[in-house]
Amino acid sequence: MHQYMRRYTASWLINVSVPGQPEWRVHDRVFKGSFDRNGRILDLMECLPKETVSPVPQLLKNIGYLPIDIARAMVSVEEVEMMIALYNDCYSFSALPDFISPHFDQNGEYDLLLSSTLCLMFAHCVNLHAMKMDNYEMLSCAFYHDAKKKRDARVANGVDIMSLHATYNIMLYELENGFLEECSMSRQYMSIMIDMLHSHYGNMSVWQQNLLRHLFWAIFTADASAHDMRMQEHVLCAPYMHVHKQQPSDQCVQMVEKLKEEYIYFRCRLAENIREIWKSCYKVETPQVGGAKVKELEDRMWDIYHELPAWITSETELGDIILETCEGYECFRDEPNKHGRKHPLCHRSLVEVWMRRLRYHFLVEWHGAWLFLYQIFLPKPGDVIKLPFIRCLEHCKLMVDVMDRWADDPDFFDCYCYPSLRSLLITSHIQRYLLQSDVFEVRQKGYQLLHRLFLIIKRSNIYHMYKDTSFIIGIRAAFAGIHNNYTQIGGIFPIFDISTAAANSSPSDLHMFSAAAS
C-alpha cells in the first residue's frame, strides 16, 4: 500500500493545471517543523550568473570607434523618436520626462539622458526585439562614450537624479551586451550615488522625490529579478520607499496608464517578497529554516496573487476580455480612442500589449519567485514527496504553461521584452533535477517540461543571444544524455497514459530522488 500511494501521488502531482486548486492547499501541520537547506543549491546560485556569460569575453575596445557627431548624423529624428517611445515602453519604471526632444540640439543639459537612452536602445531593440539596424553596435558604443563623458562632467559638480538615471541606462547597456567588468564598476558607482541622493531626499521638491523614488524602485526591481540584492538596506527601509507609495493612482485618465501602474506596483510587491525570501532562506547561516517562516513567505506570495485583477489569473483568452467591463476598469468605458496609442514596433494597441505583460510576464516572474523560495529546500536522496518538491514541480509546470500561451500569441511574441531570464534559468535547472528521478512519471514530466521550455526559447531571440552560453548548452546536454541513456539500452523514451500509472505501479519505479539540481 505504501508503494502504491507513493506511485499514485507522483502520478497525481504532475497533473496540476491552475494555481490555488483545492488539492494543493496543504495542512498547517506541514509547516510545524523545519525545512532543511540544500547546500548544492547554494553553490548553484553562486554559479548561475555565469551561465548567461559568453565563453568569449565581450570587450568594448573591440567595437569600432565612431565619433559622436557622425553617429548623430547617421540617426534620423524619426529613429530617435522611436527609441524614446520604445524606452518608455520597455523601461516604464524609469520612463523619460515628456519634455525630452528627439532633436539633439533642443535638450540642453538633458542631452545626457538622451545619449544614455540611445546607447541602451540601439542595442536593445536588436537584441530583444529582432529589429534590423545597420551599424547598431557602433552607434550604441558612440552614444555610450558620449553619455559617460557627459555624466562624468556633470558629476564633477555634484550628484543628481539625472546622473543616476543616466548611469542606470549605461549599466543596463553593459549588462545586456556582456561588458561585465564595466557593468560591475557602474553598479558600484550607482551605489555611491544612491547613498548621496538618499541623504538629500528631505531637501528635494515633491516632483524630485517622486522621480527619485520611482528610479530607486526601478533599480531595486531589476536587482531582485536577477536575485542580486545590492540595494542598500537603509534605503529600502526608508519611509518614502514603502511599497504602498507605488500603488496605482486613482487619477489615471487612460486605461494604458492604469495597466502600466499596476504592472509596476505588482512587480514592486514581488521584488519585496524576493528580498524577504533571500534574507530568510539564503542569507542565513543556519542549516534549516523554520516552517512558520516558510508559511509566512508562502502567504505573502498568495497575497499578491489574490490581489491581482481577476482577468489576469482567469482562464479566459485575452482576446475575449473586454477590459472596461471588468471590475476596476469601468471608469474607462467612455475613454475616447482607448486603443489609439500603438506600440512603436508591432503597431498594436498599447492596451493589448500591457495586458499581455501582466498576464504572461508577471505570472512567469511570480512562478519564478515560488521556485526561488522552494528550490533551496529541494530534498536530498530519500525524500520525494515533500512540500518543496511538490511546489517546485507545480510551479515549473505552471510557468511553462504561461510561456506556452505567450508563445502562441504571435502578434505580440516579439514586440516586447522577454520574461525574467533568472526565472527561466531556475526552472530549467529544476526540470533537469526532475530528469534525475527514479520515479518514471516524474522523470518523463521533467523531460516534457524541459522540451516545451526549450522549444519556446528557440522561437525567440533568447536563443540567439545565449546559444553559446552554459544556459543553452546545459539544456542541450541534458537532451543528449537522455538520448544516450535510451540508445544504450536499445529503447526509446516511452509515452504513456498517466491516468493508468498508479494502477500499474512496480517496485522498481518507486525509488526516491537521487540527486539535487545540478
Side-chain angles (χ1 to χ4, degrees), residues 193-473:
M193 292 178 169
I194 288 167
D195 264 333
M196 295 178 72
L197 290 168
H198 169 71
S199 66
H200 290 105
Y201 178 84
N203 301 323
M204 296 179 183
S205 67
V206 173
W207 179 74
Q208 288 174 319
Q209 288 178 342
N210 286 336
L211 203 60
L212 185 66
R213 188 183 74 249
H214 281 298
L215 187 54
F216 279 0
W217 271 107
I219 295 166
F220 171 55
T221 306
D223 286 348
S225 289
H227 303 155
D228 184 11
M229 305 300 155
R230 296 200 195 187
M231 182 69 95
Q232 296 91 315
E233 191 80 5
H234 63 277
V235 174
L236 290 173
C237 293
Y240 69 84
M241 282 293 286
H242 196 284
V243 74
H244 80 268
K245 294 182 181 292
Q246 295 294 100
Q247 284 183 318
S249 169
D250 294 330
Q251 311 302 318
C252 290
V253 295
Q254 291 183 312
M255 187 185 287
V256 68
E257 297 304 326
K258 181 174 177 65
L259 292 171
K260 280 185 180 184
E261 290 192 13
E262 285 177 332
Y263 181 74
I264 287 172
Y265 170 65
F266 287 118
R267 286 199 69 209
C268 290
R269 289 279 305 278
L270 192 59
E272 261 203 335
N273 281 12
I274 290 171
R275 171 173 164 262
E276 194 59 37
I277 292 168
W278 176 75
K279 285 170 59 180
S280 304
C281 304
Y282 290 82
K283 196 180 178 185
V284 294
E285 298 295 331
T286 56
Q288 297 175 321
V289 176
K293 186 64 187 179
V294 176
K295 177 68 164 62
E296 178 192 327
L297 294 169
E298 260 212 6
D299 289 343
R300 289 177 61 149
M301 292 298 297
W302 283 119
D303 287 345
I304 295 176
Y305 188 84
H306 295 309
E307 207 176 306
L308 291 169
W311 65 267
I312 297 176
T313 57
S314 78
E315 292 296 294
T316 307
E317 293 291 330
L318 284 174
D320 297 331
I321 293 174
I322 303 172
L323 206 54
E324 53 268 34
T325 65
C326 299
E327 184 181 353
Y329 301 88
E330 301 92 341
C331 58
F332 300 107
R333 230 175 232 137
D334 300 323
E335 180 191 338
N337 200 23
K338 60 176 68 70
H339 292 281
R341 293 172 63 184
K342 305 294 184 183
H343 189 276
L345 291 183
C346 72
H347 306 296
R348 300 299 294 258
S349 159
L350 278 180
V351 167
E352 295 174 305
V353 170
W354 280 94
M355 286 176 70
R356 281 153 179 80
R357 278 202 177 101
L358 280 159
R359 170 71 72 87
Y360 305 142
H361 286 199
F362 180 76
L363 289 182
V364 165
E365 283 207 65
W366 185 78
H367 290 301
W370 278 93
L371 297 179
F372 185 54
L373 167 59
Y374 273 109
Q375 66 165 0
I376 188 68
F377 307 120
L378 276 172
K380 296 181 175 67
D383 298 310
V384 178
I385 311 305
K386 279 193 170 183
L387 185 62
F389 166 77
I390 293 173
R391 288 291 188 247
C392 284
L393 178 57
E394 171 190 15
H395 289 281
C396 265
K397 180 187 183 299
L398 293 172
M399 181 194 291
V400 175
D401 289 345
V402 173
M403 290 194 68
D404 260 341
R405 291 193 288 273
W406 167 60
D408 289 338
D409 205 341
D411 290 335
F412 301 90
F413 185 50
D414 270 328
C415 78
Y416 48 80
C417 302
Y418 299 125
S420 164
L421 184 61
R422 183 55 63 96
S423 295
L424 304 189
L425 274 168
I426 286 179
T427 196
S428 73
H429 274 280
I430 292 174
Q431 287 158 5
R432 281 178 269 173
Y433 170 94
L434 301 178
L435 286 175
Q436 299 174 66
S437 172
D438 288 330
V439 178
F440 172 71
E441 293 85 350
V442 174
R443 191 169 64 245
Q444 185 171 30
K445 196 63 184 179
Y447 171 81
Q448 290 171 346
L449 291 175
L450 190 62
H451 188 253
R452 285 170 60 198
L453 177 68
F454 190 59
L455 288 179
I456 295 165
I457 289 172
K458 281 200 75 173
R459 288 173 58 185
S460 72
N461 261 25
I462 298 173
Y463 180 78
H464 299 292
M465 285 182 71
Y466 299 107
K467 64 183 178 183
D468 296 324
T469 67
S470 299
F471 172 36
I472 301 298
I473 292 171

